Amino acid sequence: MQSVCFTGACPDMTRAELTEKAEEKFEVKSSVTKDLDILVCADPNSGSSKLEKAKKNGTKVISYGEFLEMLDSDDDDDEDEEYFELDFDEETLKKIFDKVRENTKTDIASVYFGEPDSITDSKLGGYPYWTKDKEFPKSEDGESNLVLLAQINFAEMPHLKDFPDSGILQFFHAPYPLYGLDDGNFRAVYHEKIEEPLSIKELKEMGVKTHEDYIDDFPVKEEAAFDFSASSQSISTLCAGRFEHEIFKAICDLKLPVPSDFSEDDCNSEMLEEMYESDAFEEYRESCDFFDSKINGYPAFCQEDPRREDDGLDVLLLQIAGEDDVVDWGDGGVANYFISREDLKKRDFSKVLFNYDCY
C-alpha cells in the first residue's frame, strides 16, 4: 500500500473527509518522511516546509485534483473488474475430479495401531531402539533427554518409492506444550543399520524417559505398534494452492472450453467457489481427505498447510492422527512430518519439518 501526505486545503472536501476516503487505498501520514510515496498539495509553488522536504527527498508531488482522479479511477476499476466463472455441469466436474485423482494418485502405507513386541518395532512411544555408540538426542539447552514419540522400522512396511527398505527412523520431542514445534526441541534420527540395541535397563541408567513419565504433557498416551497396509491416495483438498494447481492441470488435460487467456492464477478459491459446492467435489473430498495415520501420500490439516511453495518439503514422512486413548493432539488434531524428496533419497533426515494442529 502506497503512503500519502497532504499539505494545504483541499477545495472539494474537508481534510477529515479526504483522509477517510484516502485510507481506503493509501496509508495516510501526517508528515513527510524519506519513504513517503506521494505528497498532495494545494499549490506546488507554496514553498511550504512539507513541499520543500518532499522535493528534497524526490517524493512524487501532485495536486488535489490529480489525487481525487486517482481515487475515482481506482473505484471505477474495482467496479468494472470482471471475474471469469468456471461454469461446468456435474458431469464435467466429475471428469475434472476424476482426472485430478488419476494425476495425483500415489502409493501409501496406511498405519494402524497394535501391540508392540520388540524395541525395534515401528511404534508410538515406549523406549526407543538405541545403541551404545550414539549420543542420545537432547533438548536445545542440553539439559534433558528428548522423548521418543514414534519410530519406523522400514523393513516392516510396504515398499514406497524413494523410501528406505531397511533401518529405523525416529522422532524425538520435548515433553511439554508444542513438543518442539517452534523452539527446536525436536529431532529426527535415522539408523541405517539395526545393531544390538541397548536394553531397557541400560536406557534407564542413561536417564532415558518415555511418554509414561510425562503422561499429562505428551501426546502419546499408550505405547502402540504400527501395523501397515499398502494402499493409495490422491491429493487432499486441504493442500491449499497445490490442490488448485491440480484443478488447473486437469482442466488443461481435458481440453475443456475456457477463455484463451485462462491461466493458473484464475484457479483460485474465489473462482472455484461454485465448483466446491458441487456433489462431485463432495464425493472427491470424502475419498481423499484422510485424517488418518499413514506414510507418504497427502497430508490433512485442521488449520493450514505450514509449508511454503518453495521449500521443497513435498514428501509426507509420517502423519499421525489423534486416536482415543492412544495419541492426543487436541480437539480432532493431527501431526505431520515432512521432508524434501532430494533429502529422502540421500537419507538425510536433518531438515525434517514437524507440524501439528487441532480444531
Side-chain angles (χ1 to χ4, degrees), residues 3 6 63 83 225 286 299 336:
S3 58
F6 304 116
S63 68
Y83 294 97
E286 290 181 355
N336 315 99

Side-chain angles (χ1 to χ4, degrees), residues 37-54:
D37 295 305
I38 301 171
L39 176 68
V40 183
C41 65
D43 180 3
N45 299 312
S46 67
S48 72
S49 59
K50 284 185 177 179
L51 182 59
E52 293 304 312
K53 192 172 182 180

Side-chain angles (χ1 to χ4, degrees), residues 202-232:
E202 290 171 312
L203 290 170
K204 287 181 177 179
E205 290 173 351
M206 288 171 50
V208 173
K209 306 291 187 180
T210 76
H211 69 282
E212 292 184 336
D213 296 289
Y214 304 96
I215 200 67
D216 294 326
D217 300 308
F218 205 64
V220 176
K221 304 306 176 187
E222 179 181 323
E223 185 177 5
F226 288 168
D227 296 329
F228 298 103
S229 174
S231 187
S232 63

Side-chain angles (χ1 to χ4, degrees), residues 77-94:
D77 289 345
D78 288 344
E79 291 174 2
D80 294 341
E81 188 172 0
E82 295 182 359
Y83 294 97
F84 169 70
E85 294 184 2
L86 294 174
D87 188 17
F88 298 127
D89 58 27
E90 280 286 342
E91 183 179 352
T92 304
L93 291 174
K94 188 175 186 310

Side-chain angles (χ1 to χ4, degrees), residues 101-261:
R101 185 179 284 108
E102 175 189 334
N103 287 347
T104 63
K105 185 177 181 180
T106 189
D107 293 332
I108 68 173
S110 294
V111 175
Y112 306 94
F113 298 138
E115 294 292 331
D117 295 320
S118 166
I119 205 166
T120 60
D121 281 351
S122 301
K123 63 176 184 172
L124 279 177
Y127 282 97
Y129 162 82
W130 204 257
T131 55
K132 62 182 179 181
D133 59 329
K134 289 189 176 182
E135 182 179 356
F136 201 81
K138 292 188 176 295
S139 58
E140 280 284 280
D141 59 16
E143 294 184 1
S144 60
N145 291 329
L146 297 180
V147 179
L148 177 71
L149 195 147
Q151 69 181 29
I152 303 168
N153 185 332
F154 289 109
E156 298 176 345
M157 58 175 258
H159 172 75
L160 294 171
K161 181 182 177 182
D162 298 327
F163 279 75
D165 290 318
S166 61
I168 290 178
L169 176 63
Q170 300 170 310
F171 304 104
F172 293 91
H173 295 258
Y176 44 76
L178 299 185
Y179 320 122
L181 181 66
D182 62 350
D183 61 5
N185 284 298
F186 155 71
R187 302 283 184 279
V189 179
Y190 178 58
H191 307 264
E192 185 175 3
K193 295 181 180 179
I194 300 177
E195 301 173 349
E196 184 66 26
L198 292 174
S199 67
I200 291 178
K201 180 176 181 295
E202 290 171 312
L203 290 170
K204 287 181 177 179
E205 290 173 351
M206 288 171 50
V208 173
K209 306 291 187 180
T210 76
H211 69 282
E212 292 184 336
D213 296 289
Y214 304 96
I215 200 67
D216 294 326
D217 300 308
F218 205 64
V220 176
K221 304 306 176 187
E222 179 181 323
E223 185 177 5
F226 288 168
D227 296 329
F228 298 103
S229 174
S231 187
S232 63
Q233 183 195 5
S234 295
I235 189 169
S236 167
T237 67
L238 302 171
C239 289
R242 300 166 195 246
F243 178 71
E244 291 160 4
H245 165 78
E246 292 300 334
I247 291 287
F248 173 76
K249 186 174 185 299
I251 290 172
C252 294
D253 289 347
L254 294 169
K255 295 181 171 56
L256 296 176
V258 293
S260 58
D261 60 348

Side-chain angles (χ1 to χ4, degrees), residues 295-342:
I295 294 173
N296 206 34
Y298 300 95
F301 307 101
C302 300
Q303 302 299 330
E304 60 184 20
D305 191 336
R307 299 170 295 171
R308 302 187 307 272
E309 290 188 7
D310 59 350
D311 62 15
L313 298 170
D314 54 345
V315 179
L316 180 63
L317 271 178
L318 175 64
Q319 175 168 294
I320 303 174
E323 184 168 317
D324 290 346
D325 302 325
V326 179
V327 59
D328 180 15
W329 299 104
D331 188 12
V334 64
N336 315 99
Y337 301 87
F338 299 101
I339 192 172
S340 73
R341 190 161 297 278
E342 180 181 354

